[in-house]
Amino acid sequence: MMNENIPNYYIGVMSGTSLDGVDIALVDFAKNPPKITACDFFPMPEALRADVSALVKTGETNLQQLGEIDHRLGLLYAESINAFLAKNQLKAEDIQAIGCHGQTIWHSPNSAYPFTTQIGDMNLVAEKTGITTIADFRRKDMAVGGQGAPLVPAFHQAVFNAPNRLTVVLNIGGISNISVLAPNQATIGYDVGAGNTLMDIWIEQHHGKRYDKNAEWAKSGCVNQALLDALLDEPFFAKAPPKSTGRELFNLNWLAKKLQNFTACKPEDVQRTLAEFTAQSIANELIKLENNLPCLLLVCGGGARNPLLMERFATLLPNWNVTTTNEFGFDIDYVEAAAFAWLAYQRIHQLPSNMPSVTGAKKAVSLGVIYPKE
């Protein structure tokens, strides 16, 4: 029996499609369920963000540039972790392992030769932190026939599941994904569409801002119903799960094509419509899941801080209790980072960490490549 008074620390590291920086969560696995003990955010340097953003948007690079970005991301992760340790008065030997997602630059699970690419040199992370590091979590799932995403539903099941309700954990980052935790049913989880990414792209293009704080710009506009219908008319939404997507679909080019017939639409009206698009695409999916049990929606990720989205969920989903993961002790900004700490724990203990019911994999496997400390 593990002594809850003796910490069993793992660090989870996540940098997502928003490219704003690095989320770090310290998770204590001596607790049952595991608990976040500390968390922090470290911004991505502007020059690195610009280079990664250009790479993600176009998918075009050369080997020299790709290698250098890989190295720079590795340094960013290592420096962020070391700063986090110092701030929390921790030493490398206090940490069992780091689980680092890396930076996704391309995800193509449905191509003739399926692949996914996360970069950030984890050899550098292990060497510069002195902590065993685990990364490259997605490709093992793809090797056994899965989509390689999403990976967090297994973690959600471990910490949020309850026998007397339907629980859906909704993460709204650049892309929105859900974990569906239903009694006596296999957990499923999948991407449900664009989260913040289109809203962020649009406000950055028009106002040079990274995101629409408190949805202030969106609130100044009105929904254009015809544009909303055009946005919702995306084949991805008709696909059955398991399914995953990313900025290789929901990007500026996709939006520009949708806007071709709406050149007279005011920019603020586009922003309001994009917010409604995110809210409705999610709500449409959740309504399909309703059953006779109480329905609980736990929102996390940056979108949980968007008051307009949260208001729309309350209106669009009258049969749901809509709240955030904060109510269950997991800060909305660090649930994904905590998930990668859990994935590292599972890998160190050689326990399965994918869910075939989620990703479509042929079998359960322990995910991640171990980069040992020397």
Side-chain angles (χ1 to χ4, degrees):
M1 186 74 130
M2 193 168 284
N3 187 340
E4 289 200 7
N5 296 318
I6 301 175
N8 187 25
Y9 288 145
Y10 285 72
I11 282 176
V13 183
M14 178 71 193
S15 60
T17 52
S18 60
L19 304 179
D20 52 352
V22 179
D23 295 328
I24 298 181
L26 177 71
V27 181
D28 186 358
F29 285 85
K31 308 294 183 185
N32 186 22
K35 296 292 182 187
I36 294 179
T37 300
C39 48
D40 212 340
F41 171 78
F42 297 85
M44 186 178 292
E46 185 55 44
L48 179 56
R49 179 182 184 270
D51 287 346
V52 176
S53 180
L55 176 57
V56 169
K57 285 176 182 175
T58 66
E60 296 178 359
T61 187
N62 59 60
L63 292 177
Q64 181 71 26
Q65 183 184 45
L66 181 62
E68 290 184 358
I69 293 174
D70 179 61
H71 188 106
R72 290 158 67 193
L73 282 166
L75 291 178
L76 173 64
Y77 295 137
E79 291 163 2
S80 299
I81 292 163
N82 285 334
F84 178 84
L85 292 173
K87 186 174 181 179
N88 290 283
Q89 299 180 313
L90 293 165
K91 298 176 182 177
E93 50 265 33
D94 296 327
I95 312 300
Q96 300 299 316
I98 295 164
C100 185
H101 174 264
Q103 183 65 55
T104 297
I105 56 170
W106 208 256
H107 184 68
S108 184
N110 300 312
S111 56
Y113 299 97
F115 73 96
T116 186
T117 304
Q118 288 75 42
I119 61 173
D121 188 345
M122 299 303 157
N123 295 287
L124 285 172
V125 176
E127 175 63 23
K128 291 187 175 295
T129 63
I131 303 169
T132 294
T133 300
I134 301 161
D136 194 6
F137 290 98
R138 300 188 183 276
R139 292 199 292 177
K140 183 69 170 182
D141 182 80
M142 295 184 80
V144 293
Q147 291 261 320
L151 296 183
V152 293
F155 169 70
H156 291 158
Q157 178 179 268
V159 298
F160 296 124
N161 195 32
N164 58 350
R165 67 170 186 250
L166 168 64
T167 305
V168 171
V169 184
L170 166 65
N171 175 62
I172 310 176
I175 299 298
S176 297
N177 55 68
I178 59 173
S179 300
V180 184
L181 315 174
N184 305 315
Q185 292 182 25
T187 293
I188 59 172
Y190 50 96
D191 291 344
V192 291
N196 300 316
T197 190
L198 296 174
M199 292 183 284
D200 292 349
I201 287 170
W202 191 248
I203 196 169
E204 183 166 24
Q205 181 174 324
H206 287 270
H207 291 286
K209 296 179 180 179
R210 296 277 177 81
Y211 66 100
D212 186 7
K213 186 176 181 181
N214 296 322
E216 290 170 2
W217 193 39
K219 287 180 177 179
S220 72
C222 299
V223 173
N224 182 308
Q225 186 62 48
L227 174 58
L228 177 61
D229 291 342
L231 296 172
L232 289 168
D233 186 26
E234 161 55 49
F236 174 81
F237 299 120
K239 289 182 180 178
K243 59 182 179 178
S244 56
T245 188
R247 285 173 61 156
E248 62 277 357
L249 173 61
F250 293 108
N251 53 36
L252 186 58
N253 289 337
W254 182 90
L255 181 57
K257 289 177 183 176
K258 295 289 186 179
L259 289 172
Q260 283 176 350
N261 297 324
F262 299 94
T263 54
C265 193
K266 296 178 182 177
E268 61 269 27
D269 291 345
V270 173
Q271 185 74 0
R272 176 65 183 87
T273 305
L274 290 173
E276 189 66 16
F277 169 60
T278 292
Q280 287 203 21
S281 60
I282 291 167
N284 291 344
E285 200 65 38
L286 296 181
I287 289 168
K288 298 176 192 174
L289 302 172
E290 292 177 3
N291 56 29
N292 294 326
L293 291 171
C295 298
L296 174 66
L297 177 62
L298 298 176
V299 189
C300 60
R305 296 191 181 281
N306 185 316
L308 179 57
L309 290 182
M310 296 301 288
E311 288 169 15
R312 294 302 294 144
F313 292 144
T315 300
L316 294 166
L317 298 165
N319 297 327
W320 293 73
N321 175 16
V322 179
T323 185
T324 71
T325 55
N326 286 349
E327 299 298 316
F328 286 76
F330 283 86
D331 187 300
I332 58 173
D333 292 322
Y334 296 94
V335 174
E336 276 201 294
F340 283 91
W342 181 83
L343 285 162
Y345 176 90
Q346 296 294 101
R347 186 70 186 94
I348 288 294
H349 293 87
Q350 299 180 8
L351 297 170
S353 48
N354 68 331
M355 299 191 81
S357 60
V358 171
T359 66
K362 295 170 186 170
K363 59 182 178 179
V365 290
S366 192
L367 304 176
V369 174
I370 299 173
Y371 297 77
K373 64 182 179 182
E374 293 299 329

